Amino acid sequence: MRLVTVGVGAQNSPRHRPAGLLIACNGARVMMDGGPGAVPRGRLDAWLVTDERAELIGAIRRLASAKGLRPYAGAFRHDGLRIERRRVVHTNHPTYAYRIRAAGKTVIWAPEFYRFPRWARRADVLFAEGAAWDRPIRFVGGVGGHLDVLATASQAKRLGVKRLVFAHLGRPTLRALSRGKEPPFGELAADGQAFRVARRPRPAEAPGGRRRAR
C-alpha cells in the first residue's frame, strides 16, 4: 500500500496545500479530502471526504466531477483494501475519520478532531490533526474544535500508535516549528510525501516446517 500526502495544510494555510491523502493499493486509487492545488494526477476510483459540509466541499465537488466522481463520506472496498469511516468529535455536524486496512496493516486518516479517537489505538500509521500546537482550538459556542499537537502526541503514544504523522498543519503549529519546536512523539508530513505500508515478511521455514532462527 502506497500513501501520498497530496497536501498537509489546514484551511487557508500560508505554506501548504489543503490536507489530502492518496491511497494506492492493489490497482485501486482513492483520494481523501484535498482541495485546490491538492489533486492527484491520473485516474481515481473514489474520492472520500471527512466532512460533507466542510468549507472546501464546493471546490472538492468540482475537482472530483472533473474526474467523473462524486465525493462522499462512506466506505470503499477493492481486492483486499478496506476503507471504513468512523465518527470523530470535531464540530456540530457529523464528521469522520477513516480506518484503512490492507496487507494486515491499519492506517488511520484523521485530519480533524477535538477529542482523540481512541479506536485508533495500535494503528500502524495515524495521520492526525495538527492545527494547534500546545493548547486546543475551541470553536465558538463550544461545539468542538481542534486538539493540539502535544496532546495528540501524548495520547497516541499511550495508546500504542506505531507511527504518528501530523498532516493538517495550522498556523499555531507552523509558528511553533519556526521557533524550532518539535513534537515529543510523531513527525510532520510534507506536501507530496510518500509512505509505504507493507506486510512484514514471514520468517523462512527450515525443512520440516520449523522456523529458521534469525
Side-chain angles (χ1 to χ4, degrees):
M1 177 165 51
R2 186 172 186 267
L3 310 164
V4 179
T5 48
V6 182
V8 299
Q11 179 72 14
N12 297 321
S13 171
R15 300 186 193 174
H16 299 289
R17 298 191 290 268
L21 184 71
L22 173 65
I23 304 159
C25 182
N26 298 335
R29 300 179 84 244
V30 179
M31 179 63 186
M32 292 189 170
D33 294 324
V39 182
R41 296 178 181 177
R43 68 165 182 84
L44 293 172
D45 297 291
W47 196 316
L48 305 180
V49 293
T50 52
D51 185 350
E52 292 184 314
R53 294 168 58 183
E55 293 179 348
L56 289 177
I57 194 63
I60 291 173
R61 286 184 180 128
R62 291 190 293 272
L63 294 166
S65 178
K67 291 183 176 289
L69 298 172
R70 177 185 62 83
Y72 65 97
F76 178 86
R77 295 187 180 186
H78 172 82
D79 190 22
L81 172 65
R82 297 180 60 185
I83 303 175
E84 300 172 342
R85 74 179 191 184
R86 297 290 297 268
R87 286 285 296 268
V88 292
V89 176
H90 173 54
T91 187
N92 61 356
H93 59 263
T95 50
Y96 304 94
Y98 285 92
R99 187 196 300 270
I100 305 151
R101 292 178 174 174
K105 299 292 186 177
T106 299
V107 175
I108 307 295
W109 174 250
E112 295 186 271
F113 53 77
Y114 185 65
R115 295 180 184 171
F116 188 92
R118 296 180 63 84
W119 51 263
R121 58 166 46 89
R122 293 187 292 276
D124 292 288
V125 183
L126 168 60
F127 292 97
E129 167 79 77
W133 180 253
D134 57 358
R135 57 182 177 180
I137 297 172
R138 190 168 180 81
F139 293 154
V140 175
V143 296
H146 301 276
L147 190 63
D148 56 282
V149 164
L150 299 188
T152 296
S154 175
Q155 294 190 50
K157 186 173 184 179
R158 180 169 56 85
L159 292 174
V161 171
K162 297 178 179 65
R163 185 175 185 182
L164 174 64
V165 182
F166 293 100
H168 182 258
L169 310 182
R171 292 173 188 265
T173 295
L174 297 179
R175 288 193 294 268
L177 296 176
S178 296
R179 297 194 302 270
K181 302 289 187 179
E182 294 183 0
F185 173 65
E187 62 196 272
L188 284 299
D191 292 347
Q193 184 175 353
F195 301 79
R196 287 195 177 275
V197 180
R199 186 191 299 273
R200 292 180 181 177
R202 294 181 178 179
E205 289 191 355
R210 291 178 296 176
R211 301 293 185 190
R212 288 178 180 169
R214 293 194 171 191

